[in-house]
Amino acid sequence: AGEASMCKAIEDMKKEQYEEGRRAGEEQGMEQGVFMTLASLVKNGMLKLEDAAKQCNMSGEGFLEKMTLYVSESTITEQNKM
């Protein structure tokens, strides 16, 4: 009986850790989606860099640096789809 309760405890811990990881991944994905949307608006001249950076709690310089990284990554990804 002790063995079964130990296995149950381990299974419960694994489920809890999985859920924590899933929630963190979802949150990170949503943040990335918001960033990509704002970066796209800046790139297309529909939003000022400073306003987009403010929405992300970043400096204009930090936003631009991250934006440059994502744009080059997405360009590479798009080229690989062809």
Side-chain angles (χ1 to χ4, degrees):
E3 225 175 272
S5 63
M6 181 63 92
C7 287
K8 172 84 169 99
I10 291 171
E11 280 299 314
D12 289 346
M13 283 176 35
K14 285 169 57 178
K15 285 179 185 176
E16 186 176 314
Q17 289 174 341
Y18 172 81
E19 282 300 312
E20 285 177 16
R22 186 188 61 73
R23 282 191 298 272
E26 272 182 11
E27 187 174 314
Q28 185 179 15
M30 289 190 314
E31 288 173 5
Q32 185 176 4
V34 167
F35 177 83
M36 293 299 289
T37 300
L38 292 170
S40 177
L41 292 171
V42 169
K43 183 180 173 192
N44 293 319
M46 302 173 82
L47 183 64
K48 291 181 182 178
L49 174 66
E50 296 79 21
D51 293 334
K54 187 176 181 181
Q55 290 297 314
C56 293
N57 296 319
M58 300 174 77
S59 68
E61 186 178 297
F63 187 92
L64 186 58
E65 186 177 310
K66 186 173 179 178
M67 185 176 142
T68 303
L69 175 69
Y70 275 98
V71 168
S72 60
E73 281 182 6
S74 64
T75 303
I76 292 168
T77 302
E78 287 301 316
Q79 289 173 348
N80 289 338
K81 287 181 181 179
M82 293 179 184

PDB file of all heavy atoms in Angstrom, residues 46-72:
ATOM      1  N   MET A  46       2.993  51.722 -39.113  1.00  0.00           N
ATOM      2  CA  MET A  46       1.672  51.959 -38.534  1.00  0.00           C
ATOM      3  C   MET A  46       1.728  52.287 -37.040  1.00  0.00           C
ATOM      4  O   MET A  46       0.720  52.653 -36.449  1.00  0.00           O
ATOM      5  CB  MET A  46       0.783  50.741 -38.779  1.00  0.00           C
ATOM      6  CG  MET A  46       0.629  50.415 -40.265  1.00  0.00           C
ATOM      7  SD  MET A  46      -0.235  48.868 -40.530  1.00  0.00           S
ATOM      8  CE  MET A  46      -1.918  49.434 -40.366  1.00  0.00           C
ATOM      9  N   LEU A  47       2.910  52.111 -36.440  1.00  0.00           N
ATOM     10  CA  LEU A  47       3.080  52.354 -35.010  1.00  0.00           C
ATOM     11  C   LEU A  47       4.499  52.868 -34.791  1.00  0.00           C
ATOM     12  O   LEU A  47       5.445  52.391 -35.426  1.00  0.00           O
ATOM     13  CB  LEU A  47       2.875  51.037 -34.235  1.00  0.00           C
ATOM     14  CG  LEU A  47       2.939  51.072 -32.716  1.00  0.00           C
ATOM     15  CD1 LEU A  47       1.805  51.924 -32.137  1.00  0.00           C
ATOM     16  CD2 LEU A  47       2.862  49.655 -32.144  1.00  0.00           C
ATOM     17  N   LYS A  48       4.627  53.844 -33.906  1.00  0.00           N
ATOM     18  CA  LYS A  48       5.949  54.383 -33.593  1.00  0.00           C
ATOM     19  C   LYS A  48       6.717  53.379 -32.741  1.00  0.00           C
ATOM     20  O   LYS A  48       6.145  52.721 -31.862  1.00  0.00           O
ATOM     21  CB  LYS A  48       5.826  55.697 -32.819  1.00  0.00           C
ATOM     22  CG  LYS A  48       5.282  56.838 -33.635  1.00  0.00           C
ATOM     23  CD  LYS A  48       5.220  58.087 -32.791  1.00  0.00           C
ATOM     24  CE  LYS A  48       4.626  59.246 -33.565  1.00  0.00           C
ATOM     25  NZ  LYS A  48       4.528  60.448 -32.731  1.00  0.00           N
ATOM     26  N   LEU A  49       8.006  53.310 -32.998  1.00  0.00           N
ATOM     27  CA  LEU A  49       8.888  52.411 -32.251  1.00  0.00           C
ATOM     28  C   LEU A  49       8.762  52.641 -30.746  1.00  0.00           C
ATOM     29  O   LEU A  49       8.640  51.699 -29.974  1.00  0.00           O
ATOM     30  CB  LEU A  49      10.338  52.615 -32.703  1.00  0.00           C
ATOM     31  CG  LEU A  49      11.402  51.853 -31.915  1.00  0.00           C
ATOM     32  CD1 LEU A  49      11.251  50.359 -32.123  1.00  0.00           C
ATOM     33  CD2 LEU A  49      12.784  52.310 -32.323  1.00  0.00           C
ATOM     34  N   GLU A  50       8.758  53.889 -30.333  1.00  0.00           N
ATOM     35  CA  GLU A  50       8.696  54.216 -28.903  1.00  0.00           C
ATOM     36  C   GLU A  50       7.403  53.707 -28.266  1.00  0.00           C
ATOM     37  O   GLU A  50       7.403  53.247 -27.138  1.00  0.00           O
ATOM     38  CB  GLU A  50       8.814  55.734 -28.693  1.00  0.00           C
ATOM     39  CG  GLU A  50      10.142  56.324 -29.118  1.00  0.00           C
ATOM     40  CD  GLU A  50      10.265  56.522 -30.633  1.00  0.00           C
ATOM     41  OE1 GLU A  50       9.228  56.595 -31.344  1.00  0.00           O
ATOM     42  OE2 GLU A  50      11.412  56.592 -31.118  1.00  0.00           O
ATOM     43  N   ASP A  51       6.295  53.807 -29.003  1.00  0.00           N
ATOM     44  CA  ASP A  51       5.011  53.338 -28.472  1.00  0.00           C
ATOM     45  C   ASP A  51       4.992  51.814 -28.342  1.00  0.00           C
ATOM     46  O   ASP A  51       4.471  51.271 -27.369  1.00  0.00           O
ATOM     47  CB  ASP A  51       3.858  53.813 -29.355  1.00  0.00           C
ATOM     48  CG  ASP A  51       3.684  55.330 -29.321  1.00  0.00           C
ATOM     49  OD1 ASP A  51       4.078  55.956 -28.305  1.00  0.00           O
ATOM     50  OD2 ASP A  51       3.170  55.887 -30.308  1.00  0.00           O
ATOM     51  N   ALA A  52       5.548  51.139 -29.332  1.00  0.00           N
ATOM     52  CA  ALA A  52       5.608  49.675 -29.281  1.00  0.00           C
ATOM     53  C   ALA A  52       6.496  49.230 -28.129  1.00  0.00           C
ATOM     54  O   ALA A  52       6.139  48.318 -27.372  1.00  0.00           O
ATOM     55  CB  ALA A  52       6.140  49.123 -30.605  1.00  0.00           C
ATOM     56  N   ALA A  53       7.637  49.880 -27.981  1.00  0.00           N
ATOM     57  CA  ALA A  53       8.564  49.533 -26.898  1.00  0.00           C
ATOM     58  C   ALA A  53       7.909  49.725 -25.542  1.00  0.00           C
ATOM     59  O   ALA A  53       8.057  48.887 -24.640  1.00  0.00           O
ATOM     60  CB  ALA A  53       9.828  50.384 -27.012  1.00  0.00           C
ATOM     61  N   LYS A  54       7.165  50.807 -25.408  1.00  0.00           N
ATOM     62  CA  LYS A  54       6.476  51.106 -24.140  1.00  0.00           C
ATOM     63  C   LYS A  54       5.491  49.986 -23.792  1.00  0.00           C
ATOM     64  O   LYS A  54       5.383  49.573 -22.642  1.00  0.00           O
ATOM     65  CB  LYS A  54       5.752  52.442 -24.253  1.00  0.00           C
ATOM     66  CG  LYS A  54       5.142  52.933 -22.977  1.00  0.00           C
ATOM     67  CD  LYS A  54       4.526  54.312 -23.162  1.00  0.00           C
ATOM     68  CE  LYS A  54       3.931  54.823 -21.873  1.00  0.00           C
ATOM     69  NZ  LYS A  54       3.322  56.151 -22.053  1.00  0.00           N
ATOM     70  N   GLN A  55       4.780  49.471 -24.800  1.00  0.00           N
ATOM     71  CA  GLN A  55       3.817  48.383 -24.571  1.00  0.00           C
ATOM     72  C   GLN A  55       4.498  47.117 -24.070  1.00  0.00           C
ATOM     73  O   GLN A  55       3.888  46.304 -23.396  1.00  0.00           O
ATOM     74  CB  GLN A  55       3.047  48.073 -25.859  1.00  0.00           C
ATOM     75  CG  GLN A  55       2.078  49.144 -26.274  1.00  0.00           C
ATOM     76  CD  GLN A  55       0.977  49.346 -25.244  1.00  0.00           C
ATOM     77  OE1 GLN A  55       0.388  48.393 -24.750  1.00  0.00           O
ATOM     78  NE2 GLN A  55       0.716  50.587 -24.899  1.00  0.00           N
ATOM     79  N   CYS A  56       5.769  46.963 -24.417  1.00  0.00           N
ATOM     80  CA  CYS A  56       6.534  45.771 -24.013  1.00  0.00           C
ATOM     81  C   CYS A  56       7.425  46.041 -22.808  1.00  0.00           C
ATOM     82  O   CYS A  56       8.240  45.189 -22.437  1.00  0.00           O
ATOM     83  CB  CYS A  56       7.401  45.296 -25.182  1.00  0.00           C
ATOM     84  SG  CYS A  56       6.456  44.672 -26.570  1.00  0.00           S
ATOM     85  N   ASN A  57       7.280  47.227 -22.214  1.00  0.00           N
ATOM     86  CA  ASN A  57       8.138  47.628 -21.091  1.00  0.00           C
ATOM     87  C   ASN A  57       9.615  47.511 -21.446  1.00  0.00           C
ATOM     88  O   ASN A  57      10.419  46.983 -20.678  1.00  0.00           O
ATOM     89  CB  ASN A  57       7.823  46.793 -19.833  1.00  0.00           C
ATOM     90  CG  ASN A  57       6.431  47.022 -19.331  1.00  0.00           C
ATOM     91  OD1 ASN A  57       5.948  48.150 -19.317  1.00  0.00           O
ATOM     92  ND2 ASN A  57       5.764  45.953 -18.938  1.00  0.00           N
ATOM     93  N   MET A  58       9.946  47.998 -22.644  1.00  0.00           N
ATOM     94  CA  MET A  58      11.324  47.952 -23.126  1.00  0.00           C
ATOM     95  C   MET A  58      11.744  49.355 -23.555  1.00  0.00           C
ATOM     96  O   MET A  58      10.896  50.212 -23.797  1.00  0.00           O
ATOM     97  CB  MET A  58      11.448  47.018 -24.351  1.00  0.00           C
ATOM     98  CG  MET A  58      11.059  45.594 -24.105  1.00  0.00           C
ATOM     99  SD  MET A  58      11.083  44.625 -25.635  1.00  0.00           S
ATOM    100  CE  MET A  58      12.843  44.365 -25.820  1.00  0.00           C
ATOM    101  N   SER A  59      13.047  49.540 -23.685  1.00  0.00           N
ATOM    102  CA  SER A  59      13.545  50.784 -24.282  1.00  0.00           C
ATOM    103  C   SER A  59      13.371  50.669 -25.788  1.00  0.00           C
ATOM    104  O   SER A  59      13.234  49.561 -26.329  1.00  0.00           O
ATOM    105  CB  SER A  59      15.034  50.960 -23.946  1.00  0.00           C
ATOM    106  OG  SER A  59      15.804  49.968 -24.602  1.00  0.00           O
ATOM    107  N   GLY A  60      13.382  51.800 -26.458  1.00  0.00           N
ATOM    108  CA  GLY A  60      13.295  51.787 -27.910  1.00  0.00           C
ATOM    109  C   GLY A  60      14.441  50.999 -28.521  1.00  0.00           C
ATOM    110  O   GLY A  60      14.262  50.218 -29.453  1.00  0.00           O
ATOM    111  N   GLU A  61      15.628  51.192 -27.954  1.00  0.00           N
ATOM    112  CA  GLU A  61      16.813  50.485 -28.439  1.00  0.00           C
ATOM    113  C   GLU A  61      16.677  48.974 -28.247  1.00  0.00           C
ATOM    114  O   GLU A  61      17.000  48.193 -29.142  1.00  0.00           O
ATOM    115  CB  GLU A  61      18.050  51.011 -27.697  1.00  0.00           C
ATOM    116  CG  GLU A  61      19.360  50.464 -28.202  1.00  0.00           C
ATOM    117  CD  GLU A  61      20.540  51.072 -27.455  1.00  0.00           C
ATOM    118  OE1 GLU A  61      20.738  52.298 -27.536  1.00  0.00           O
ATOM    119  OE2 GLU A  61      21.250  50.297 -26.779  1.00  0.00           O
ATOM    120  N   GLY A  62      16.192  48.568 -27.073  1.00  0.00           N
ATOM    121  CA  GLY A  62      16.009  47.143 -26.790  1.00  0.00           C
ATOM    122  C   GLY A  62      14.971  46.512 -27.706  1.00  0.00           C
ATOM    123  O   GLY A  62      15.147  45.388 -28.193  1.00  0.00           O
ATOM    124  N   PHE A  63      13.887  47.242 -27.951  1.00  0.00           N
ATOM    125  CA  PHE A  63      12.837  46.744 -28.833  1.00  0.00           C
ATOM    126  C   PHE A  63      13.376  46.570 -30.249  1.00  0.00           C
ATOM    127  O   PHE A  63      13.155  45.551 -30.895  1.00  0.00           O
ATOM    128  CB  PHE A  63      11.635  47.696 -28.841  1.00  0.00           C
ATOM    129  CG  PHE A  63      10.450  47.163 -29.592  1.00  0.00           C
ATOM    130  CD1 PHE A  63       9.472  46.441 -28.938  1.00  0.00           C
ATOM    131  CD2 PHE A  63      10.311  47.376 -30.961  1.00  0.00           C
ATOM    132  CE1 PHE A  63       8.371  45.941 -29.632  1.00  0.00           C
ATOM    133  CE2 PHE A  63       9.224  46.894 -31.662  1.00  0.00           C
ATOM    134  CZ  PHE A  63       8.245  46.157 -30.994  1.00  0.00           C
ATOM    135  N   LEU A  64      14.107  47.577 -30.720  1.00  0.00           N
ATOM    136  CA  LEU A  64      14.660  47.528 -32.069  1.00  0.00           C
ATOM    137  C   LEU A  64      15.643  46.374 -32.222  1.00  0.00           C
ATOM    138  O   LEU A  64      15.643  45.666 -33.231  1.00  0.00           O
ATOM    139  CB  LEU A  64      15.344  48.855 -32.410  1.00  0.00           C
ATOM    140  CG  LEU A  64      15.851  49.015 -33.831  1.00  0.00           C
ATOM    141  CD1 LEU A  64      14.716  48.847 -34.836  1.00  0.00           C
ATOM    142  CD2 LEU A  64      16.512  50.372 -34.003  1.00  0.00           C
ATOM    143  N   GLU A  65      16.466  46.156 -31.194  1.00  0.00           N
ATOM    144  CA  GLU A  65      17.429  45.055 -31.222  1.00  0.00           C
ATOM    145  C   GLU A  65      16.705  43.708 -31.311  1.00  0.00           C
ATOM    146  O   GLU A  65      17.046  42.858 -32.138  1.00  0.00           O
ATOM    147  CB  GLU A  65      18.300  45.110 -29.960  1.00  0.00           C
ATOM    148  CG  GLU A  65      19.431  44.114 -29.943  1.00  0.00           C
ATOM    149  CD  GLU A  65      20.291  44.272 -28.701  1.00  0.00           C
ATOM    150  OE1 GLU A  65      20.700  45.419 -28.404  1.00  0.00           O
ATOM    151  OE2 GLU A  65      20.528  43.266 -28.032  1.00  0.00           O
ATOM    152  N   LYS A  66      15.689  43.538 -30.475  1.00  0.00           N
ATOM    153  CA  LYS A  66      14.917  42.286 -30.495  1.00  0.00           C
ATOM    154  C   LYS A  66      14.156  42.147 -31.810  1.00  0.00           C
ATOM    155  O   LYS A  66      14.082  41.066 -32.386  1.00  0.00           O
ATOM    156  CB  LYS A  66      13.951  42.257 -29.308  1.00  0.00           C
ATOM    157  CG  LYS A  66      13.216  40.948 -29.142  1.00  0.00           C
ATOM    158  CD  LYS A  66      12.400  40.938 -27.856  1.00  0.00           C
ATOM    159  CE  LYS A  66      11.652  39.628 -27.706  1.00  0.00           C
ATOM    160  NZ  LYS A  66      10.893  39.579 -26.461  1.00  0.00           N
ATOM    161  N   MET A  67      13.615  43.254 -32.300  1.00  0.00           N
ATOM    162  CA  MET A  67      12.874  43.251 -33.553  1.00  0.00           C
ATOM    163  C   MET A  67      13.782  42.817 -34.706  1.00  0.00           C
ATOM    164  O   MET A  67      13.395  42.007 -35.549  1.00  0.00           O
ATOM    165  CB  MET A  67      12.313  44.644 -33.821  1.00  0.00           C
ATOM    166  CG  MET A  67      11.431  44.749 -35.029  1.00  0.00           C
ATOM    167  SD  MET A  67      10.759  46.424 -35.121  1.00  0.00           S
ATOM    168  CE  MET A  67      10.808  46.674 -36.865  1.00  0.00           C
ATOM    169  N   THR A  68      14.988  43.341 -34.732  1.00  0.00           N
ATOM    170  CA  THR A  68      15.951  42.993 -35.770  1.00  0.00           C
ATOM    171  C   THR A  68      16.260  41.497 -35.722  1.00  0.00           C
ATOM    172  O   THR A  68      16.324  40.841 -36.761  1.00  0.00           O
ATOM    173  CB  THR A  68      17.245  43.815 -35.596  1.00  0.00           C
ATOM    174  OG1 THR A  68      16.904  45.197 -35.618  1.00  0.00           O
ATOM    175  CG2 THR A  68      18.243  43.511 -36.686  1.00  0.00           C
ATOM    176  N   LEU A  69      16.411  40.957 -34.534  1.00  0.00           N
ATOM    177  CA  LEU A  69      16.679  39.530 -34.371  1.00  0.00           C
ATOM    178  C   LEU A  69      15.507  38.706 -34.899  1.00  0.00           C
ATOM    179  O   LEU A  69      15.696  37.768 -35.674  1.00  0.00           O
ATOM    180  CB  LEU A  69      16.928  39.212 -32.891  1.00  0.00           C
ATOM    181  CG  LEU A  69      17.102  37.741 -32.544  1.00  0.00           C
ATOM    182  CD1 LEU A  69      18.410  37.218 -33.113  1.00  0.00           C
ATOM    183  CD2 LEU A  69      17.061  37.544 -31.045  1.00  0.00           C
ATOM    184  N   TYR A  70      14.288  39.066 -34.526  1.00  0.00           N
ATOM    185  CA  TYR A  70      13.108  38.316 -34.961  1.00  0.00           C
ATOM    186  C   TYR A  70      12.866  38.445 -36.455  1.00  0.00           C
ATOM    187  O   TYR A  70      12.484  37.489 -37.106  1.00  0.00           O
ATOM    188  CB  TYR A  70      11.858  38.756 -34.194  1.00  0.00           C
ATOM    189  CG  TYR A  70      11.696  38.050 -32.884  1.00  0.00           C
ATOM    190  CD1 TYR A  70      12.097  38.650 -31.692  1.00  0.00           C
ATOM    191  CD2 TYR A  70      11.151  36.774 -32.826  1.00  0.00           C
ATOM    192  CE1 TYR A  70      11.957  37.996 -30.486  1.00  0.00           C
ATOM    193  CE2 TYR A  70      11.010  36.118 -31.624  1.00  0.00           C
ATOM    194  CZ  TYR A  70      11.414  36.728 -30.450  1.00  0.00           C
ATOM    195  OH  TYR A  70      11.274  36.079 -29.265  1.00  0.00           O
ATOM    196  N   VAL A  71      13.096  39.625 -37.003  1.00  0.00           N
ATOM    197  CA  VAL A  71      12.879  39.817 -38.438  1.00  0.00           C
ATOM    198  C   VAL A  71      13.844  38.938 -39.221  1.00  0.00           C
ATOM    199  O   VAL A  71      13.454  38.260 -40.163  1.00  0.00           O
ATOM    200  CB  VAL A  71      13.028  41.312 -38.832  1.00  0.00           C
ATOM    201  CG1 VAL A  71      13.103  41.474 -40.335  1.00  0.00           C
ATOM    202  CG2 VAL A  71      11.860  42.101 -38.264  1.00  0.00           C
ATOM    203  N   SER A  72      15.114  38.902 -38.825  1.00  0.00           N
ATOM    204  CA  SER A  72      16.068  38.069 -39.562  1.00  0.00           C
ATOM    205  C   SER A  72      15.743  36.592 -39.385  1.00  0.00           C
ATOM    206  O   SER A  72      15.868  35.813 -40.318  1.00  0.00           O
ATOM    207  CB  SER A  72      17.506  38.374 -39.142  1.00  0.00           C
ATOM    208  OG  SER A  72      17.703  38.130 -37.772  1.00  0.00           O
TER     209      SER A  72
END
